[in-house]
Amino acid sequence: MISQLTGNERVLAAFTFLILLCVGVAMAAAGRDDLIGTHGWIIAVSAIAGAVALLRAYDAPAPSATRLSEYYDDPSKVGIILTLIWGVIGMLVGVWVAALLAWPELTIDAAWASFGRLRPVHTSGVIFGFGGNALIATSFHVLQRTTRARLPDQFSPWFVLFGYNLFCVLAASGYLMGITQSKEYAEPEWYADIWLVVVWVVYFSIYIRTLLRRKEPHIYVANWYYMAFILVVALLHIINNLAVPLSFGHAKSYSLFSGVQDAMTQWWYGHNAVAFFLTAGFLGMMYYYLPKRAGRPIYSYRTSIISFWGITFMYMWAGSHHLHYTALPHWVQSLGMAFSVVLLVPSWASAGNALLTLNGAWHKVRDDAVLRFMMLAAIFYGLATFEGSFMAIRAVNSLSHYTDWTIGHVHAGALGWVAMITYGSLYALTPWLWKRPALYSAKLVEWHFWLALSGTVVYVFAMWNSGVIQGLMWRTYNDSGTLSYSFVDSLVAMHPYYIARALGGLLFLAGAVIALYNIVMTIRSPVAVASESASDIPLGLEPSAPIAQAGE
Amino acid sequence: MFNFHYRLERNAIGFVLAIIVVASIGGFIEIAPLFTIDETVEKAPDMRVYTPLEVAGRNIYIREGCYACHSQMIRTLRDEVERYGPYSLAVESKYDHPMLWGSKRTGPDLARVGGKYSNDWMTAHLNNPRDVVPESNMPAYRWLLRNQLETGDLGEHLAALRAVGVPYSDEMIANAPNDAIGQANPDTDLAAGVTERYGDKTDVSLFDGNQGSVTEMDALVAYLQVLGHLTDAAHTTPQNEVE
């Protein structure tokens, strides 16, 4: 990859590694008595590893000018591999912590191995490691295809991809050591947060620079969603992570907000991390890969507009439904509930738009497990958003909140929607990028599909059962007017469902391992084809004929 | 409307600005007033700040991810009030940077757990929950008794908390390490300073049962025992009807 950088970009890369090395060494020195010192060394070693790779190929000949007539897909390729690896890691930890809830004595007597430290490794591993890499990898691909323009340079995509993965490594290793802010899905400490802002600014600059150089007059729907993902996540991340660190040599910081204001800010962040990381970004994926794979244009362009702006506007009000019946003022709870219910309209408009796009291609859904992944994702998206609006109603929330029902809901979205659309898209994308005629094994995709579906169903049903039972047991009164069950009674009732949940997760994990194997074998298969690649180039050199985009 | 959009989606910068504006409205309207409307947080003149030992314990609670399974927010529901005590008020987490309201109860709520169990029970339970609650699925935190508490930088912790708005005095910050040691060692000279600075009601005990050394167990138990006791506001002000 170094040989693809121009001379100037190699100098820029060298400077980047130098700065990173200085920061890492400074953190290691200032934090020699603190856990931040370990992270300083991780940063310094990453910088040295990058610099060594750079120097070994520094004198390679400059890339030829013909590169400008091709799309730049190597960062997407590496991103796909990283996505699959993070997926296996994150889901493996998930299955393990699920097992710990059923059999707590399985663990060893070490702080890093306890449930409380491993759980965020699971959540961050799947959300940021798996989901984030999938979004970066696919967004670079979709951006170039829908603008008919090459990425603006060769350095910044690598900076974003590797910088982002450095953030993920800092996050996961930090949890194991006990570095956490405790804010759910925003656990990494201040220095990792600042680093993510730097990465994110570069990510946005790639997007906007490519859009400004586009050869298509219109910006395609998928890019609206990817842009909303990038912009709003930046806004949420910066505001929710405002904090005062002890010093440059301490990992620990204290959040700027406290109590009720902090709770509202946190769930404004938390719910919209779901909305703009796990929904908007993946809708971008869906709006490109589903019509492409089905060979059909998006059913309704106008519905896309309404659902996009509906989601962008209304989700930001919905976070307070995480705080029903709490010390948050009632008016904020009511606003959150109202907007959460109305959110069903744009959510179902998106899901319906996707499913109606498949009209005329249902025979392909039957025969092609890759397309079936995407269809199932749209169905689960519809189910999970319905359930979400339902659970945001105060009366329902009084039962569901604090219980496993919430965990079931989240996994209906995470497994059924996010992971399914990701695997569908990556299965479609891999043969295109590596110019292979097909995946290594269609049969393994079928296996993965049925494992993923059965795993999701087992998981979600287990959590629905345990959540509803738990919620009901907590509020059941006996004839004498006192509470019927102690807390421990409700915990004992959960045991069979915790075992079922671990089993569901294991099925899903097995599918993720198959996906990694299948895609690696596809890449390693020697057959190369040149069928689609002739037209798969940026506009500019050849006479510009109007080319229909998916969806127009 | 669709014609307008037809033009908007041809303008990258315009589209970016439109997303930022449309997405900012909801959060602004819901969050900004929480800082300005006085009734949002009740008044509690008797509210005290966490002692250095309790701050250290709170940081261990965060470090070990306790918040993932335990809430600290009793809702305004009849069964919760009967099970856990008066529903939580906003003022009770006024000094919580960040708040630890939680989102899941794999274990019970802890907002008012302070004083419900003895220090010995707490220590035994944290060391191995199944020794005292056989059905429990909580992890055993055996290293808390083994690890000596890092007290040297507690002054910096208090100073950082003061920077975000917690009213620690210079004296509290200067004496933070000694106060942490004193609170876990009742019969020493250092213990007197703790009640002097944080009030007579401050719990000064052998939290982990051992005199002398201050362990992480001391800190975490001290923190758990103060939960629900920083102010009496929830007990003294009449509570609204619960549902």
Side-chain angles (χ1 to χ4, degrees), chain A residues 265-404:
Chain A
T265 309
Q266 157 60 25
W267 287 111
W268 169 77
Y269 167 89
H271 195 71
N272 289 297
V274 175
F276 289 89
F277 208 98
L278 297 177
T279 304
F282 291 87
L283 280 170
M285 217 183 262
M286 185 188 80
Y287 269 106
Y288 183 79
Y289 294 102
L290 184 138
K292 270 293 238 184
R293 186 75 183 189
R296 311 271 316 164
I298 278 289
Y299 173 73
S300 165
Y301 160 74
R302 292 186 170 189
T303 310
S304 317
I305 297 176
I306 293 170
S307 51
F308 174 77
W309 290 105
I311 285 172
T312 305
F313 178 67
M314 286 192 279
Y315 251 112
M316 299 297 269
W317 297 74
S320 54
H321 70 227
H322 289 254
L323 300 167
H324 280 324
Y325 300 98
T326 67
L328 181 74
H330 207 281
W331 64 268
V332 195
Q333 300 180 23
S334 302
L335 267 181
M337 174 173 89
F339 276 93
S340 303
V341 172
V342 185
L343 249 180
L344 188 60
V345 175
S347 300
W348 273 26
S350 288
N353 209 0
L355 291 172
L356 289 170
T357 299
L358 294 171
N359 263 351
W362 288 104
H363 60 288
K364 291 186 186 169
V365 176
R366 186 192 61 207
D367 298 335
D368 177 12
V370 174
L371 190 57
R372 218 180 308 132
F373 261 111
M374 300 186 201
M375 179 218 52
L376 194 66
I379 290 177
F380 267 105
Y381 176 63
L383 291 175
T385 48
F386 173 78
E387 189 186 26
S389 294
F390 182 62
M391 291 167 77
I393 298 168
R394 275 170 65 86
V396 180
N397 196 268
S398 74
L399 180 77
S400 73
H401 194 54
Y402 292 137
T403 74
D404 286 321

Side-chain angles (χ1 to χ4, degrees), chain B residues 144-177:
Chain B
L144 296 179
L145 271 175
R146 296 197 294 261
N147 290 359
Q148 295 302 304
L149 184 70
E150 166 69 52
T151 52
D153 59 5
L154 279 171
E156 289 173 80
H157 283 264
L158 265 51
L161 279 166
R162 181 160 75 177
V164 293
V166 184
Y168 284 109
S169 65
D170 290 339
E171 201 195 344
M172 287 169 168
I173 291 171
N175 289 289

Side-chain angles (χ1 to χ4, degrees), chain A residues 450-517:
Chain A
W450 291 108
L451 281 169
L453 176 57
S454 55
T456 306
V457 169
V458 169
Y459 192 111
V460 171
F461 271 91
M463 291 295 93
W464 273 340
N465 275 303
S466 70
V468 172
I469 291 173
Q470 212 172 13
L472 290 176
M473 284 179 86
W474 292 345
R475 58 161 62 168
T476 300
Y477 284 85
N478 55 29
D479 292 340
S480 55
T482 55
L483 292 166
S484 292
Y485 301 103
S486 71
F487 191 90
V488 168
D489 291 336
S490 74
L491 180 66
V492 172
M494 297 306 100
H495 188 65
Y497 304 110
Y498 284 175
I499 296 173
R501 181 250 298 269
L503 177 73
L506 191 64
L507 292 174
F508 204 93
L509 170 67
V513 173
I514 289 175
L516 175 63
Y517 175 76

Side-chain angles (χ1 to χ4, degrees), chain A residues 105 117 184 214 258 301, chain B residues 9-10 64 94 103 130:
Chain A
E105 297 289 4
R117 295 199 190 185
E184 285 183 79
R214 72 187 182 280
S258 71
Y301 160 74
Chain B
E9 68 189 50
R10 298 169 70 118
E64 301 301 345
K94 171 165 87 157
S103 60
R130 277 156 299 284

